[in-house]
Structure formats: structure tokens, C-alpha cells
């Protein structure tokens, strides 16, 4: 089975704002009523978030929903393993990426998610649940600890997708724009950044192919990199019907690089 990941830049499931993207996630599972496991670690196991998921993915999109609480409950290793490896779709919610990754690594969830990926489970998520699949990501996690004095940080992910990821590329946290700070991060760190706006996602198939999918026509995704002259370039990643080779996602138009 091919490994499949859908990384969503942002959106609101309460208003069904990402419905076209989420229907594609369900289609990729090859199941009419897939078993969807929601992992809300980044929101500190928010019950309200889980209720929204039940209403949206369960009642509206007809998935069989389940949840994996890792903070408010203490499931056994076997319970965690059974839930993760038994799902058709895993959907990771948004919130505090740094907290989520620390909890996952402490409990071995990171390794189980990689196993699920290799077994053909569709991995998906929004915001923190998008960052986690990449090498690392542009995160506002520190704002959860000190809302008055904080800065964006680069949080290490699972490394299933290459690059530094920035969700919510067209929005801000507590008045600080992501776009400007992410460009500064790429200027300092180098490499290729994958920036995704709200209501936009990138679908990755088997680590070899990708395509941009959107729930709003104005939403965009970008590759962000430092040119040979040191200038940070943000190029829109074209949306197309057919899957494209993943190498082209990281290609840079500046020939001097």
C-alpha cells in the first residue's frame, strides 16, 4: 500500500470550510465509511474539539470516528498501538506542536505513526497536525506558554515529508504575521520551505508524487527558498489535476543555486 499524507494549512471544520479537502482524504482511504482516528494531543485533548470532529467527520462525512487521548487519559501501549494501527485515516488536530511532539516521543506514538504510514493508513491533519509530518515546521507553540512575550520556533517533526513547513501562511498568531517570520526563518536556516495557506493542502503519495488541493479558490501553497543572491523567494506551487513528481516540489527556478 502506498504511504499517503494530506497536510492542511488551516481552516475551520465547524463551518465545513475544508470539506473538499476532507472528502479527498476519505477518497484516498478507498473506504466508503472509513475508520477515522482523531488525535487531539496538540489541543491538550480538547473535548470540545473532539465533539466537533464527531459532528463533522462522523455525522456529516460518514466516517466511523474514534479518539486517542494521550494527556487526559493514560492508555496502555497496547491500546495506543491498536488504535493507531487499526485506523483507515488518522487526523491530527491543531494546537501546540511542541507539546504534541514531546508527548508522542515519550509514548512511542511517533514510531507507531510511521508504521501506520508504511501500512497504508492515510495520515492527515491541520496546522500542528500538518507540521508533524515534515522534517520540521514553523510553529507558534511558545504563545501557549507566554501569550505576551513569545516568538515563532522551528519544531522537529517525523520527517516523512522533506522540508520546513509553514501552515497558516496567510494569517497570523496574536498579531504577528507568519509570512514575514517564515521568510526570515528560511533566510537563516536555508533549505526549502513548504508554505500552505488556510483552506489549502498538499497531498503526498508514496513519497514520490504530490498535488495541491484547495477548498477555497483563492487559497495557495508556496515553495520558499533562499536564492543564490541571498534573497528569499516565494514561488506559488501550481495546482493541477494530475499528480506531479515530488522532486518538482523542491525545484528552484533560480539557476545559480
Amino acid at each position: 500500500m502506498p504511504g499517503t499524507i494530506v497536510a492542511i494549512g488551516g481552516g475551520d471544520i465547524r463551518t465545513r470550510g475544508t470539506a473538499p479537502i476532507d472528502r479527498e482524504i476519505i477518497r484516498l482511504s478507498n473506504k466508503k465509511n472509513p475508520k477515522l482516528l482523531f488525535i487531539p494531543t496538540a489541543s491538550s485533548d480538547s473535548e470540545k474539539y473532539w465533539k466537533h470532529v464527531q459532528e463533522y467527520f462522523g455525522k456529516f462525512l460518514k466516517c466511523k470516528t474514534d479518539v486517542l487521548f494521550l494527556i487526559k487519559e493514560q492508555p496502555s501501549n497496547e491500546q495506543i498501538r491498536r488504535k493507531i494501527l487499526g485506523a483507515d485515516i488518522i487526523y491530527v488536530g491543531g494546537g501546540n506542536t511542541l507539546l504534541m511532539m514531546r508527548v508522542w516521543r515519550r509514548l512511542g506514538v511517533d514510531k507507531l505513526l510511521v508504521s501506520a504510514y508504511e501500512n497504508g493508513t492515510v495520515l492527515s491533519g491541520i496546522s500542528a497536525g500538518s507540521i508533524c509530518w515534515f522534517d520540521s515546521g514553523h510553529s507558534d507553540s511558545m504563545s501557549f506558554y507566554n501569550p505576551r512575550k513569545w516568538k515563532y520556533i522551528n519544531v522537529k517533526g517525523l520527517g516523512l515529508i522533506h522540508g520546513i513547513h509553514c501552515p497558516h501562511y496567510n494569517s497570523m498568531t496574536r498579531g504577528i504575521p507568519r509570512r514575514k517570520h517564515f521568510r526570515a526563518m528560511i533566510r537563516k536556516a536555508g533549505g526549502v520551505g513548504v508554505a500552505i495557506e488556510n483552506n489549502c493542502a498538499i497531498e503526498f503519495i508514496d513519497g514520490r508524487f504530490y498535488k495541491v488541493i484547495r477548498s477555497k479558490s483563492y487559497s495557495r501553497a508556496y515553495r520558499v527558498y533562499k536564492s543564490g543572491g541571498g534573497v528569499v523567494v516565494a514561488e506559488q506551487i501550481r495546482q493541477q489535476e494530475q499528480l506531479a513528481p515530488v522532486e518538482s516540489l523542491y525545484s528552484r527556478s533560480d539557476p545559480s543555486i
Side-chain angles (χ1 to χ4, degrees):
M1 294 287 290
T4 304
I5 298 174
V6 179
I8 310 166
D12 190 349
I13 65 171
R14 292 172 298 179
T15 60
R16 303 178 180 178
T18 56
I21 295 168
D22 301 320
R23 286 193 178 97
E24 173 67 1
I25 291 170
I26 292 168
R27 185 194 70 80
L28 288 165
S29 75
N30 293 313
K31 301 281 181 67
K32 184 179 180 181
N33 305 110
K35 292 181 287 184
L36 181 142
L37 177 65
F38 176 52
I39 306 182
T41 317
S43 63
S44 297
D45 288 349
S46 167
E47 283 279 2
K48 185 180 290 187
Y49 202 167
W50 166 224
K51 287 178 182 176
H52 289 318
V53 166
Q54 288 175 296
E55 182 70 30
Y56 176 68
F57 279 108
K59 292 182 181 178
F60 177 57
L61 294 175
K62 309 303 181 186
C63 295
K64 300 169 187 172
T65 58
D66 193 8
V67 65
L68 178 58
F69 289 129
L70 296 170
I71 296 173
K72 64 189 299 179
E73 296 180 4
Q74 295 181 317
S76 67
N77 292 339
E78 182 54 35
Q79 287 172 322
I80 295 171
R81 178 182 178 83
R82 189 166 60 247
K83 285 201 175 196
I84 290 176
L85 298 185
D88 300 311
I89 298 169
I90 290 171
Y91 185 93
V92 179
N96 184 337
T97 312
L98 184 63
L99 168 70
M100 178 179 74
M101 296 309 302
R102 284 174 171 170
V103 171
W104 284 5
R105 290 192 172 105
R106 177 167 54 83
L107 298 176
V109 169
D110 54 338
K111 294 180 175 63
L112 286 171
L113 289 170
V114 172
S115 295
Y117 172 76
E118 292 169 346
N119 291 341
T121 301
V122 178
L123 304 183
S124 62
I126 194 163
S127 190
S130 180
I131 288 173
C132 62
W133 314 120
F134 285 79
D135 288 333
S136 66
H138 185 260
S139 170
D140 62 4
S141 292
M142 301 314 293
S143 70
F144 290 89
Y145 302 104
N146 188 344
R148 292 172 180 249
K149 187 177 181 181
W150 64 278
K151 62 182 179 179
Y152 289 110
I153 59 173
N154 193 6
V155 176
K156 186 178 179 183
L158 299 181
L160 294 173
I161 307 171
H162 178 57
I164 304 173
H165 172 46
C166 178
H168 306 294
Y169 189 57
N170 58 331
S171 64
M172 58 183 70
T173 297
R174 301 187 184 276
I176 304 177
R178 281 184 177 265
R179 187 182 304 263
K180 181 178 179 181
H181 191 273
F182 185 56
R183 291 165 76 103
M185 182 179 285
I186 293 297
R187 183 179 293 111
K188 183 177 181 180
V192 175
V194 178
I196 307 177
E197 295 181 345
N198 294 338
N199 302 300
C200 186
I202 302 181
E203 170 184 321
F204 295 87
I205 305 294
D206 200 24
R208 298 166 56 209
F209 303 100
Y210 81 95
K211 72 174 179 179
V212 175
I213 48 180
R214 302 184 293 194
S215 58
K216 305 291 183 185
S217 60
Y218 53 78
S219 300
R220 302 284 184 268
Y222 300 85
R223 68 175 60 83
V224 184
Y225 60 89
K226 187 165 62 175
S227 72
V231 176
V232 175
V233 177
E235 292 179 348
Q236 184 181 332
I237 303 167
R238 286 193 309 136
Q239 185 186 27
Q240 48 196 23
E241 289 300 315
Q242 302 300 319
L243 291 166
V246 77
E247 291 81 7
S248 65
L249 178 63
Y250 304 102
S251 65
R252 311 174 190 189
S253 62
D254 188 328
S256 65
I257 301 174

